[in-house]
Amino acid sequence: MANGAKDKNTHAAPELDEAQAAHPTHDPGHGPPPEPGFWRKYVFSTDHKVIGIQYGITALLFLLIGFCLVMLMRWQLAYPGEALPLIGKLFGEANMPDGVMQPEFYNQLGAMHGTIMVFLGIVPLAVGAFGNYVVPLQIGAPDMAFPKLNMASYWVYFLGGVVMLASFFVPAGAAKAGWTSYPPLADIETMGQTMWLIGMLFLITSSLLGAVNFLTTIIQLRAPGMTFMRMPFFVWAQFVTAFLLLLAFPPLEAAAIFQLMDRLAGTSFFLPSGLVVSGEVLDVAGGGSPLLWQHLFWFLAHPEVYVLILPAMGIVAEIIANNTRKPLWGYKALVYSVIFLGFMSFIVWAHHMFITGMGTTISAFFQVTTMIISIPSVVILSALFISLWGGSIRFTTPMLFALGFLPMFGIGGLTGLPLGLAPTDIHLHDTYYVIGHFHYVVAPGTIIALFAGIYYWFPKITGRKMNDRLGKIHFWGTILFMNGIFFPMFIQGMAGVSRRLYDGGQVYQIAEPVIHYNEFMSICAWLLALAQIPFIINFFMSLKKGEKVEANVWKATTLEWSAAPSPPVAHGNFPKLPTVHRGPYEYSVPGHDRDYLPQDEAPTVAVER
Amino acid sequence: MDIPYTVTARPDTGVFNAKLGVWLFLASEVMLFGGLFAGYVFLRIGAPAWPGALHGETYAHASEVLNVPLATLNTFVLIASSVTMVMAWASLMMKNFARYRLYMGGTIALAFVFLIVKVFEYGSKFEHGLFPSESNFLAIYFTLTGLHALHVIGGIIVNTYFWGPGAKMWRTDPKRFTNRIEVAGLYWHFVDLVWIFLFPTIYLL
């Protein structure tokens, strides 16, 4: 059986080769293409590697901006009403008179922190940067299927970011209705909310262009012999992620259009009849429903959670296989889990809405689907844990981050279970427990994995390795202070402290026993910022002075390492398109001199048969 | 290095890149209009009457407010434009470029007819003070048909490009140009199909 399958695969490869030979990739009529100028090469480039780097740099900057916003908020939470020393007066009389933060400004910071981190920071870094750079290389493609769309996708994303940032400077400032933009509040908000909606439309368009491109690339441009079950797990994760982006974002686009109509054309899609604002009945047609927004919003925003986490899992899987020097445990189970997870993520959205008064039947349905979706997540995490068993682990910097991801994502995932069940969720809803839960998934989870990816693929992109000592300082500082910030949130949340409180819960008696954690969490947040300095120094220093390394520095099996130089060839990636002969993780195969067998290495007959 | 399968189909998937790309794009469009239609269903279920009261009068049927004959005319206009679009592609397959120009021109002209009818329809609504802000019925009517009209405009832009400057490719790379028209056609049929759903949902039900 196994032999038969192998025969079929080795057969398929030459056929594809012929198909490519029939359409020569080099047109003999033209010579080599002329070297593009500066603008074509670095700014409006159609090369997926340059676009990936553009995405990466922009997204890292947005992560920094989003982090700065929350550091300001943490001052207010730790020391409510006290003037922010030194820089407090820079934010203007309207926002921080004499350095004291106004509630409206706090709300702007909160809404924009969430929006920037999710839509402008993590997704563009996980999908736009890593996906763009690594996926075509890992499947042996010369570029993305639609290079111009790829460029458009980046620039539309960039515009969306500009609109979002510009909204801070319109009258009354940026959006203040939270990153979820719940109406009716969002409907009657100031101009910043309109900017938020327009910015979101840009970001949705950008991810649509990206998703079409990723899917077409993975389906159409796999190298000869690269069957679906020989794709690295990272490619699978990006594949499912692209489907989520393709199909989950449009309903939010519909919702954004409805809300724009409400704000600009005076409709009442989300405004019920007889709504009283500031003591007066709102003069609108009425008859709308705020719940409609919540349904459409969470129809996107739940799959969005998996858009954040799946690429992270993909990165971790690559690094673990490479650094344990053995195959991933249960590759097929991982692949089927990630597909199943993608499907399920479309039918769990209403577990964000248990307290909206939906009936017990609907609530039961969404509790069941939510419990079911935790199964593939556990399968993936368990498979990654078991992969460590019996491996001779190399504790490289990327591996440290990948190992850090496992327990951190475990905490994030397990603390989500009480939120997926209505009886416990009703107590915990809208408390700091929720904040703690999803930050564990996103910060010590996803962001740690993204750091792992940066350390892992940096040598591929630049030809130089990042400094290990600074990397290790960065790792320990990050993991320690992230836990310092987010763990006390569980304690506060279980005590009943509500999220989005301007004073951190000072006026509530229930918060009294746990409110002292606020100061500790804030200090951890500022120390976390300090812990990022070694990373920033390391990043720029290694660009210029990092240790020069060979193309396959990690001795990896996947194509981006084994078949392409570092950095890969400018247009086309590979000196010669590779042919794939085996699965992605053939580490420590018995009977070989080396402990890794690259996917593109031609089999020696004696060993294979 | 050129990107493979831009013109010819990949043997194991059976499609060229752009064809797969446009089908994926249309899947996303289905979700967009699906979300909008879901909003329509959600609001209508919650409404005590549909279309309900407008300027003090209560209507029991959408057809009393909206102009069904004009919309019926527009339905036939769009269906006809889909037919001419197929003919345009078929003409290229038969290597008859002059006939392609004719049919593509017809598609564009019919799309303009659709928009002009739409302008008259909207105009008469505004004249009678029927704005989106009057009721949820009108709000959903204007939002859905307006978004559909934007899709029609998008189609006009694409088709006009392929009728005019984009048609130069016929001389250098006829196979690829024919593929492009096929892909543009798939989009155009989708725009037509959306209207086929919109028309009964909003005007008749």
Side-chain angles (χ1 to χ4, degrees):
Chain A
M1 179 73 195
N3 269 338
K6 200 177 274 172
D7 276 343
K8 218 173 80 193
N9 285 337
T10 40
H11 238 84
E15 268 170 35
L16 281 175
D17 258 345
E18 276 161 32
Q20 252 172 11
H23 304 281
T25 45
H26 277 288
D27 192 346
H30 298 284
E35 182 70 6
F38 172 81
W39 287 90
R40 280 259 158 227
K41 201 168 167 187
Y42 297 110
V43 184
F44 296 107
S45 173
T46 52
D47 186 342
H48 74 99
K49 296 183 290 297
V50 178
I51 297 169
I53 292 166
Q54 287 176 327
Y55 257 117
I57 291 169
T58 319
L60 281 170
L61 282 176
F62 272 115
L63 279 181
L64 188 64
I65 294 170
F67 187 36
C68 289
L69 299 185
V70 86
M71 280 196 284
L72 282 175
M73 293 168 75
R74 290 264 28 138
W75 172 266
Q76 166 66 20
L77 290 171
Y79 313 109
E82 282 179 41
L84 176 63
L86 301 173
I87 56 167
K89 290 195 178 141
L90 295 177
F91 297 94
E93 272 303 293
N95 295 327
M96 295 182 76
D98 297 322
V100 179
M101 188 180 290
Q102 295 297 292
E104 290 79 8
F105 188 51
Y106 179 85
N107 287 343
Q108 288 178 38
L109 294 176
M112 295 312 284
H113 165 71
T115 307
I116 288 176
M117 284 304 205
V118 172
F119 295 111
L120 290 162
I122 294 174
V123 175
L125 187 57
V127 181
F130 284 116
N132 239 320
Y133 199 98
V134 177
V135 166
L137 286 165
Q138 282 197 331
I139 60 170
D143 202 321
M144 293 284 262
F146 308 114
K148 281 181 195 156
L149 275 193
N150 204 9
M151 175 182 81
S153 159
Y154 170 75
W155 285 106
V156 174
Y157 153 68
F158 185 81
L159 268 180
V162 169
V163 171
M164 287 289 186
L165 287 185
S167 73
F168 275 106
F169 303 100
V170 300
K176 294 182 277 292
W179 81 284
T180 52
S181 284
Y182 275 12
L185 180 60
D187 265 19
I188 56 173
E189 253 268 33
T190 54
M191 190 181 162
Q193 181 65 24
T194 307
M195 301 277 283
W196 187 88
L197 290 166
I198 293 169
M200 281 310 290
L201 287 179
F202 278 119
L203 297 178
I204 293 168
T205 309
S206 157
S207 75
L208 166 69
L209 297 176
V212 168
N213 217 342
F214 275 80
L215 292 171
T216 310
T217 305
I218 295 173
I219 295 172
Q220 291 284 95
L221 301 191
R222 280 167 293 122
M226 178 62 87
T227 58
F228 274 100
M229 278 321 221
R230 284 176 176 178
M231 294 198 310
F233 185 66
F234 177 76
V235 178
W236 268 109
Q238 291 284 349
F239 189 62
V240 174
T241 302
F243 264 112
L244 299 184
L245 285 173
L246 184 80
L247 301 177
F249 249 132
L252 181 69
E253 190 174 7
I257 291 166
F258 282 153
Q259 200 176 92
L260 267 180
M261 289 292 284
D262 273 6
R263 297 178 53 81
L264 300 178
T267 58
S268 7
F269 286 115
F270 302 129
L271 293 172
S273 306
L275 189 70
V276 176
V277 176
S278 313
E280 277 179 47
V281 177
L282 212 58
D283 182 27
V284 291
S289 165
L291 281 187
L292 174 58
W293 169 271
Q294 294 194 21
H295 280 295
L296 291 172
F297 179 84
W298 288 115
F299 190 86
L300 155 85
H302 199 82
E304 179 79 7
V305 175
Y306 294 97
V307 170
L308 300 173
I309 199 70
L310 292 184
M313 287 171 163
I315 292 170
V316 169
E318 293 302 303
I319 295 172
I320 283 186
N322 177 256
N323 285 289
T324 53
R325 314 307 292 167
K326 61 198 267 295
L328 273 188
W329 193 87
Y331 169 81
K332 278 191 177 167
L334 281 167
V335 169
Y336 294 138
S337 295
V338 81
I339 296 170
F340 181 61
L341 209 147
F343 273 112
M344 289 302 291
S345 73
F346 282 99
I347 46 169
V348 296
W349 80 89
H351 66 214
H352 295 270
M353 301 165 60
F354 284 140
I355 62 161
T356 57
M358 59 172 137
T360 45
T361 316
I362 296 289
S363 160
F365 172 79
F366 282 105
Q367 289 177 68
V368 170
T369 54
T370 305
M371 290 305 116
I372 291 175
I373 202 175
S374 63
I375 297 169
S377 316
V378 170
V379 170
I380 294 174
L381 199 64
S382 305
L384 293 177
F385 263 118
I386 299 170
S387 297
L388 303 176
W389 187 266
S392 54
I393 299 177
R394 302 188 308 202
F395 287 95
T396 57
T397 311
M399 185 59 171
L400 272 187
F401 278 90
L403 289 174
F405 168 89
L406 298 177
M408 291 301 118
F409 176 72
I411 295 177
L414 290 175
T415 52
L417 291 177
L419 296 173
L421 295 165
T424 34
D425 177 67
I426 286 167
H427 174 67
L428 295 170
H429 193 94
D430 247 341
T431 65
Y432 263 99
Y433 183 91
V434 180
I435 311 257
H437 155 66
F438 72 69
H439 276 93
Y440 258 100
V441 176
V442 176
T446 302
I447 292 182
I448 286 275
L450 294 176
F451 278 134
I454 293 174
Y455 285 101
Y456 183 64
W457 279 302
F458 192 90
K460 183 45 56 185
I461 297 168
T462 61
R464 290 167 190 274
K465 226 175 115 181
M466 285 175 87
N467 182 294
D468 270 324
R469 182 168 301 161
L470 285 173
K472 276 165 191 169
I473 296 172
H474 177 216
F475 169 74
W476 287 110
T478 303
I479 205 101
L480 191 70
F481 296 126
M482 275 185 173
N483 279 286
I485 302 168
F486 300 122
F487 203 84
M489 287 186 180
F490 292 130
I491 301 166
Q492 286 193 333
M494 284 191 280
V497 181
S498 204
R499 67 196 282 197
R500 291 187 175 136
L501 291 178
Y502 162 62
D503 63 354
Q506 234 186 5
V507 296
Y508 291 91
Q509 209 181 354
I510 47 159
E512 217 167 275
V514 291
I515 200 165
H516 62 272
Y517 285 118
N518 274 340
E519 193 179 0
F520 173 74
M521 286 146 74
S522 292
I523 291 170
C524 283
W526 301 321
L527 290 175
L528 178 64
L530 286 184
Q532 303 314 303
I533 291 173
F535 170 70
I536 297 170
I537 294 173
N538 196 352
F539 189 89
F540 287 105
M541 206 183 69
S542 303
L543 277 181
K544 283 236 182 295
K545 294 192 179 149
E547 178 198 343
K548 277 194 182 171
V549 289
E550 50 167 327
N552 192 356
V553 54
W554 307 117
K555 307 212 181 309
T557 50
T558 45
L559 292 181
E560 87 273 31
W561 294 107
S562 63
S566 303
V569 183
H571 273 276
N573 290 339
F574 304 97
K576 180 178 163 291
L577 270 192
T579 302
V580 175
H581 299 282
R582 57 181 67 77
Y585 305 114
E586 305 261 319
Y587 287 104
S588 304
V589 181
H592 283 269
D593 304 342
R594 289 173 309 161
D595 67 346
Y596 65 108
L597 265 183
Q599 284 190 278
D600 62 324
E601 198 175 279
T604 46
V605 180
V607 177
E608 285 292 299
R609 303 271 158 175
Chain B
M1 216 180 291
D2 288 338
I3 295 158
Y5 312 119
T6 45
V7 183
T8 49
R10 181 179 164 119
D12 57 351
T13 61
V15 286
F16 53 91
N17 296 343
K19 197 162 169 179
L20 180 66
V22 82
W23 276 113
L24 291 167
F25 169 66
L26 293 182
S28 145
E29 290 276 275
V30 167
M31 293 304 285
L32 170 64
F33 281 98
L36 293 165
F37 274 104
Y40 164 85
V41 172
F42 196 97
L43 291 174
R44 183 162 177 175
I45 286 173
W50 197 263
L54 281 169
H55 295 303
E57 258 185 272
T58 312
Y59 299 92
H61 298 287
S63 54
E64 294 163 26
V65 186
L66 304 176
N67 194 331
V68 176
L70 269 191
T72 313
L73 170 70
N74 251 352
T75 309
F76 285 110
V77 169
L78 268 196
I79 291 175
S81 80
S82 256
V83 174
T84 54
M85 190 79 201
V86 178
M87 298 302 283
W89 175 62
S91 308
L92 287 182
M93 292 295 274
M94 292 185 283
K95 315 247 184 285
N96 189 338
F97 185 72
R99 252 218 331 236
Y100 155 77
R101 268 260 159 97
L102 193 70
Y103 279 120
M104 193 53 136
T107 309
I108 298 163
L110 285 167
F112 270 110
V113 171
F114 177 89
L115 285 183
I116 291 164
V117 171
K118 204 87 236 158
V119 168
F120 278 108
E121 227 187 307
Y122 277 11
S124 86
K125 293 284 163 305
F126 294 150
E127 251 172 55
H128 293 91
L130 297 174
F131 293 102
S133 55
E134 286 302 315
S135 78
N136 270 339
F137 168 73
L138 286 173
I140 204 101
Y141 160 74
F142 278 110
T143 309
L144 277 176
T145 56
L147 212 64
H148 176 260
L150 280 181
H151 278 78
V152 172
I153 292 170
I156 289 178
I157 293 170
V158 171
N159 288 347
T160 308
Y161 173 74
F162 287 138
W163 186 85
K168 272 186 228 145
M169 191 189 255
W170 175 252
R171 267 174 276 147
T172 53
D173 197 349
K175 179 108 183 14
R176 189 165 186 191
F177 183 67
T178 311
N179 284 347
R180 287 189 162 186
I181 300 307
E182 186 185 4
V183 166
L186 285 172
Y187 169 77
W188 189 250
H189 300 321
F190 174 80
V191 174
D192 187 11
L193 193 68
V194 169
W195 179 258
I196 304 285
F197 278 91
L198 264 182
F199 171 54
T201 315
I202 293 188
Y203 289 79
L204 303 181
L205 284 176

